[in-house]
């Protein structure tokens, strides 16, 4: 039987849809002046494969002179994955990376033993009305790689494997799926795919991984008797054959992978298998022991109280 986040009861069609284990609604949050919908983690599901966090950013429009300012902040023991549908973000980090993130490109930042980064609207974008729409996910690292060296990967849109299944267009953004492999270097078996499915068309979910989900960015899809509109994640039953049928032109993100060994703990921007490691990261950030971001050294995000 499906259950729903935000206190919503399970709908009756879910009771007759064995493919769908859970439906998660996004919850509104504010992030540096940008409205986001938080999907993972949720009360009823902490992660899907190694994916432990998902924020849907926008769509938002900023008047001239404004934008987002996510001040320098730290991460440990995870990787962030940023993907835009519209607009751009200036990424800077303590490795010296300075990258304009644009639609269609994948930006994978491995925090490992510790990294600091900022995300801002660039000066050129602030000279006019601008827009922003995209997703940011966090991927928990396997225990043996949690303290790896920090790294930033940028892969332009043209490097993403793209192909057609019927009339649907699929882009493999990370990992492997549908016989294609992304150029992004990952630390565990996973898949992350953007699917554009025209109204009336259908695709099958990859079935080689234990944990799988689909997040509907826009449009409406049916899975069996379950119909889902935008800003919902469908988490699928292990081993089920899953077909997504688009009722309108739909953009959906497919994701999942193998379960990681061990528990993961999350506090603020820190994810780790070890609570003690998170406590050490708190002290390091509070006492200024994380590296600074070249070109963005003045401001920073204070450690939350509590």
């Amino acid at each position: 039987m499906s259950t729903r986040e935000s206190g919503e009861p399970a709908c009756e069609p879910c009771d007759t849809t064995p493919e769908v284990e859970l439906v998660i609604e996004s919850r509104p949050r504010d992030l540096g002046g940008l409205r986001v919908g938080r999907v993972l983690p949720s009360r009823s599901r902490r992660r899907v494969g190694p994916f432990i966090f998902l924020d849907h950013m926008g769509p938002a429009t900023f008047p001239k002179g404004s934008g987002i300012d996510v001040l320098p902040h730290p991460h440990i023991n995870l990787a962030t994955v940023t993907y835009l549908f519209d607009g751009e973000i200036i990424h800077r980090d303590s490795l010296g990376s300075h990258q304009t993130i644009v639609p269609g490109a994948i930006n994978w930042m491995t925090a490992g033993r510790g990294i600091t980064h900022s995300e801002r609207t660039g000066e050129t974008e602030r000279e006019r009305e601008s827009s922003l729409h995209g997703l940011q996910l966090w991927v928990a690292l396997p225990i043996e790689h949690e303290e790896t060296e920090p790294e930033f990967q940028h892969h332009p849109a043209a490097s993403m494997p793209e192909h057609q299944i019927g009339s649907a267009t699929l882009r493999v953004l990370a990992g492997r799926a549908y016989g294609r492999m992304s150029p992004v270097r990952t630390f565990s078996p996973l898949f992350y795919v953007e699917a554009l499915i025209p109204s009336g068309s259908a695709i099958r979910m990859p079935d080689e991984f234990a944990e799988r989900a689909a997040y509907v960015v826009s449009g409406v899809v049916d899975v069996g008797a379950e119909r889902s509109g935008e800003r919902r994640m469908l988490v699928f039953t292990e081993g089920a054959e899953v077909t997504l049928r688009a009722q309108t032109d739909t953009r959906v993100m497919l994701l999942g992978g193998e379960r990681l060994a061990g528990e993961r703990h999350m506090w603020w921007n820190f994810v780790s298998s070890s609570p003690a490691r998170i406590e050490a990261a708190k002290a390091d950030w509070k006492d200024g022991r994380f590296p600074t971001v070249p070109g963005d050294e003045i401001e920073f995000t204070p450690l939350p109280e509590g």
Side-chain angles (χ1 to χ4, degrees), residues 138-200:
W138 297 355
V139 179
L141 299 179
I143 291 172
E144 64 271 23
H145 294 297
E146 285 187 317
E147 296 294 325
T148 193
E149 288 298 307
E151 179 186 31
F152 179 73
Q153 302 178 63
H154 170 77
H155 295 272
S159 68
M160 296 295 109
E162 181 177 306
H163 66 292
Q164 301 289 127
I165 294 182
S167 55
T169 302
L170 292 95
R171 305 183 73 236
V172 181
L173 306 178
R176 59 179 174 85
Y178 302 106
R180 269 72 174 180
M181 176 73 76
S182 165
V184 178
R185 187 171 73 89
T186 66
F187 290 84
S188 63
L190 58 84
F191 69 98
Y192 183 34
V193 175
E194 179 185 33
L196 302 177
I197 315 173
S199 178

Side-chain angles (χ1 to χ4, degrees), residues 2-296:
S2 285
T3 58
R4 292 183 181 273
E5 278 298 296
S6 305
E8 288 193 17
C11 60
E12 287 198 6
C14 299
D15 298 342
T16 57
T17 304
E19 303 96 329
V20 180
E21 175 187 329
L22 181 71
V23 180
I24 303 173
E25 308 277 355
S26 67
R27 293 94 63 202
R29 297 286 190 276
D30 183 84
L31 179 65
L34 175 67
R35 181 182 178 274
V36 303
R38 181 145 304 161
V39 182
L40 291 176
S42 75
R43 290 194 303 272
S44 49
R45 187 74 179 224
R46 304 300 295 174
R47 51 181 162 148
V48 178
F51 292 95
I52 199 165
F53 178 95
L54 190 157
D55 265 2
H56 184 172
M57 306 178 289
T61 301
F62 303 106
K64 181 179 177 180
S66 67
I68 67 164
D69 286 292
V70 181
L71 304 184
H73 59 280
H75 291 289
I76 61 164
N77 293 185
L78 59 82
T80 67
V81 190
T82 305
Y83 187 73
L84 297 183
F85 309 118
D86 187 29
E88 65 178 48
I89 296 173
I90 304 299
H91 165 96
R92 293 179 185 267
D93 63 42
S94 50
L95 301 175
S97 309
H98 180 195
Q99 179 64 52
T100 302
I101 300 176
V102 296
I106 275 286
N107 297 269
W108 179 291
M109 185 185 74
T110 300
R113 60 180 174 78
I115 200 168
T116 309
H117 78 129
S118 65
E119 298 155 298
R120 299 181 185 266
T121 300
E123 293 305 315
T124 301
E125 286 287 281
R126 293 177 193 262
E127 292 174 358
R128 58 179 180 268
E129 182 179 89
S130 63
S131 57
L132 186 65
H133 187 203
L135 300 178
Q136 186 171 93
L137 291 82
W138 297 355
V139 179
L141 299 179
I143 291 172
E144 64 271 23
H145 294 297
E146 285 187 317
E147 296 294 325
T148 193
E149 288 298 307
E151 179 186 31
F152 179 73
Q153 302 178 63
H154 170 77
H155 295 272
S159 68
M160 296 295 109
E162 181 177 306
H163 66 292
Q164 301 289 127
I165 294 182
S167 55
T169 302
L170 292 95
R171 305 183 73 236
V172 181
L173 306 178
R176 59 179 174 85
Y178 302 106
R180 269 72 174 180
M181 176 73 76
S182 165
V184 178
R185 187 171 73 89
T186 66
F187 290 84
S188 63
L190 58 84
F191 69 98
Y192 183 34
V193 175
E194 179 185 33
L196 302 177
I197 315 173
S199 178
S201 299
I203 61 167
R204 283 275 302 273
M205 280 288 296
D207 58 9
E208 59 263 47
F209 294 103
E211 299 195 345
R212 301 166 297 158
Y215 179 70
V216 183
V217 177
S218 60
V220 178
V221 296
D222 287 352
V223 177
E226 170 72 12
R227 176 162 292 183
S228 183
E230 62 185 33
R231 297 182 180 274
R232 284 180 172 178
M233 173 177 279
L234 305 176
V235 181
F236 301 117
T237 304
E238 183 175 348
E241 293 186 0
V242 176
T243 298
L244 304 172
R245 303 184 184 279
Q247 301 305 306
T248 65
D249 290 348
T250 298
R251 170 179 269 137
V252 60
M253 310 302 284
L254 317 177
L255 59 104
E258 296 302 326
R259 298 185 183 92
L260 294 181
E263 187 58 59
R264 291 300 183 280
H265 306 275
M266 179 185 292
W267 187 88
W268 190 41
N269 298 312
F270 303 136
V271 169
S272 180
S273 62
S274 167
R277 180 67 179 90
I278 290 178
E279 291 303 314
K282 289 182 188 180
D284 288 344
W285 182 248
K286 185 175 182 179
D287 295 340
R289 288 190 289 270
F290 270 83
T292 58
V293 177
D296 201 350

